[in-house]
Amino acid sequence: MNNDSLEKRIQAGLGLSLEDEAQRISKFIRQVLRSKLHRRGLIVAVSGGIDSSVCLELAVRTLGADRVFGLLLPETDSSSSSMELGLQMVKHAGVSHRVQDIAPTLEAIGCYEQRDAAICEVFPEYDGSWKNKIVISGGTAGAINHFHLVVETPEGDLLKKRLALKQYLQIVAATNFKQRIRKNLEYYHADRLNYAVIGTPNRLEYDQGFFVKNGDGAADIKPIAHLYKTQVYAMARHLGLPDNICSTTPTTDTYSLDQGQDEFYFALPYQQMDAALWCYNHDMPEAQLAEYLHITLEQAQAVYKDIEAKRRATAYLHTPPCILEDIF
């Protein structure tokens, strides 16, 4: 298969009849609410990103704005642009919403303290005010994934050191409080209103375990978990979302330094990761992926291995509670 044929096949595979798909998702939401969940509306936590924005618009399209409630849940490390985009989106959708700063709760529960303690073990001069982030290395180069901590000094200097497992786990465990506190608030409002909670992962995130168990991974309905990221962007444009939301770059919005999802987790931009995952799922040879992405065969093999490694490493996140025998 030549590269032109492969490109056409990938484009066709990632293409959608967008209106048909929007109607299919709406039908699914209505059926689940009515026959399984027995809830009368939907809660959507709105980050200002493309996934939550599409989920919010689909929810409104399905039920109407009066049966959808939006939550904006910033904290100390959230970017101001996320709040601006989130507010723009709830206004665009016309839904009732609430803004609640979760920083005091995170402070009380030890999120920032525990994170900073681990950072100080790597950079003893760190005083808690420096910006920071974690970046990933290795997987797409054929090596075992490992992580570096990057900090920015008050003078603007960027320092980078490889993270040992202990410090990495503590920083991640502490920052995971953010997603779990947000989810607690989502379910508070869901219980208050007799609504169901929307989960917003796309297929790339869901497949590769880019979510926090009992945090952003918890939900009653995940309406776009079958859509690749490029399909979510296409759906956003089809649904008429504001142009600046349709053009947002995926970020984690978890660490104080700017951080793309590819930098923290996927190691490839989402368009390339979508193509790689689609090729992997359709048993396309590594050589063809290499030609399509203009990378070496060894790099393409490493990408496939990284997809497999992340599936193995994050299988736990998808695992429900284990019981000795079936109850129902």
Side-chain angles (χ1 to χ4, degrees), residues 22 67 71 73-74 94 116 125 168 201 208 253 261 264 271 276 319:
R67 292 173 60 193
L71 285 172
L73 304 168
D116 290 348
E125 63 273 32
Y168 167 76
Q208 293 290 278
D253 203 27
Q261 289 183 353
F264 174 68
Q271 300 96 326
T319 303

Side-chain angles (χ1 to χ4, degrees), residues 3 6 10 275-276 279-280 282-308:
N3 195 44
L6 178 60
I10 292 174
C279 287
Y280 180 89
H282 291 82
D283 300 318
M284 305 298 292
E286 293 99 327
Q288 292 185 3
L289 176 65
E291 185 178 358
Y292 178 76
L293 294 182
H294 305 292
I295 60 178
T296 67
L297 175 61
E298 290 74 17
Q299 288 172 320
Q301 290 171 336
V303 169
Y304 274 11
K305 288 180 181 177
D306 193 54
I307 289 172
E308 294 169 348

Side-chain angles (χ1 to χ4, degrees), residues 4 23 28 37 40 44 66 76 83 98 106 111 133 149 154 234 240 245-246 251 267-268 274 277 292 294 297 299 310:
D4 288 342
Q23 291 184 21
F28 164 71
L37 299 178
R40 63 186 188 91
V44 185
D66 60 332
T76 300
M83 174 60 69
R98 183 170 299 180
L106 294 173
C111 168
K133 64 180 176 180
L149 176 64
I245 290 177
C246 291
T251 67
L268 286 175
D274 272 359
L277 185 59
Y292 178 76
H294 305 292
L297 175 61
Q299 288 172 320
K310 284 189 170 71

Side-chain angles (χ1 to χ4, degrees), residues 48-283:
I50 196 72
D51 298 314
S52 65
S53 297
V54 166
C55 285
L56 180 66
E57 190 68 19
L58 286 168
V60 169
R61 177 183 171 126
T62 302
L63 301 179
D66 60 332
R67 292 173 60 193
V68 178
F69 189 75
L71 285 172
L72 290 86
L73 304 168
E75 48 90 21
T76 300
D77 297 322
S78 299
S79 70
S80 59
S81 62
S82 294
M83 174 60 69
E84 292 167 3
L85 290 170
L87 288 171
Q88 181 183 6
M89 190 59 215
V90 294
K91 181 178 180 181
H92 172 85
V95 299
S96 298
H97 68 279
R98 183 170 299 180
V99 178
Q100 183 168 346
D101 185 356
I102 64 170
T105 302
L106 294 173
E107 184 73 40
I109 209 169
C111 168
Y112 304 123
E113 178 185 2
Q114 295 302 319
R115 177 202 63 193
D116 290 348
I119 293 176
C120 283
E121 292 181 9
V122 182
F123 292 101
E125 63 273 32
Y126 174 85
D127 67 359
S129 66
W130 301 9
K131 292 184 177 182
N132 59 83
K133 64 180 176 180
I134 291 176
V135 297
I136 193 170
S137 303
T140 54
I144 296 173
N145 280 321
H146 57 276
F147 297 88
H148 288 85
L149 176 64
V150 179
V151 297
E152 183 180 61
T153 69
E155 295 74 31
D157 297 324
L158 289 176
L159 308 177
K160 180 178 178 180
K161 287 186 181 180
R162 184 163 175 169
L163 273 172
L165 180 61
K166 175 181 178 291
Q167 288 76 27
Y168 167 76
L169 290 176
Q170 183 165 327
I171 293 170
V172 170
T175 55
N176 284 352
F177 273 130
K178 300 179 181 184
Q179 286 80 10
R180 291 185 173 126
I181 292 299
R182 289 188 176 111
K183 194 58 62 172
N184 275 317
L185 288 166
E186 290 174 53
Y187 272 100
Y188 162 72
H189 289 285
D191 291 346
R192 177 178 68 84
L193 297 168
N194 196 31
Y195 282 10
V197 170
I198 286 279
T200 65
N202 58 66
R203 184 171 191 151
L204 184 58
E205 294 170 348
Y206 191 75
D207 182 297
Q208 293 290 278
F210 186 55
F211 57 86
V212 175
K213 191 166 189 174
N214 296 326
D216 55 337
D220 300 312
I221 308 174
K222 296 182 178 181
I224 62 168
H226 64 296
L227 296 182
Y228 290 89
K229 190 81 169 184
T230 49
Q231 295 174 326
V232 178
Y233 274 97
M235 183 64 73
R237 290 186 288 272
H238 173 74
L239 295 173
L241 269 60
D243 289 342
N244 56 341
I245 290 177
C246 291
S247 61
T248 54
T249 300
T251 67
T252 63
D253 203 27
T254 297
Y255 296 88
S256 52
L257 279 173
D258 290 340
Q259 180 188 56
Q261 289 183 353
D262 55 332
E263 184 182 28
F264 174 68
Y265 196 77
F266 295 112
L268 286 175
Y270 74 86
Q271 300 96 326
Q272 293 178 313
M273 276 305 306
D274 272 359
L277 185 59
W278 186 91
C279 287
Y280 180 89
N281 287 338
H282 291 82
D283 300 318

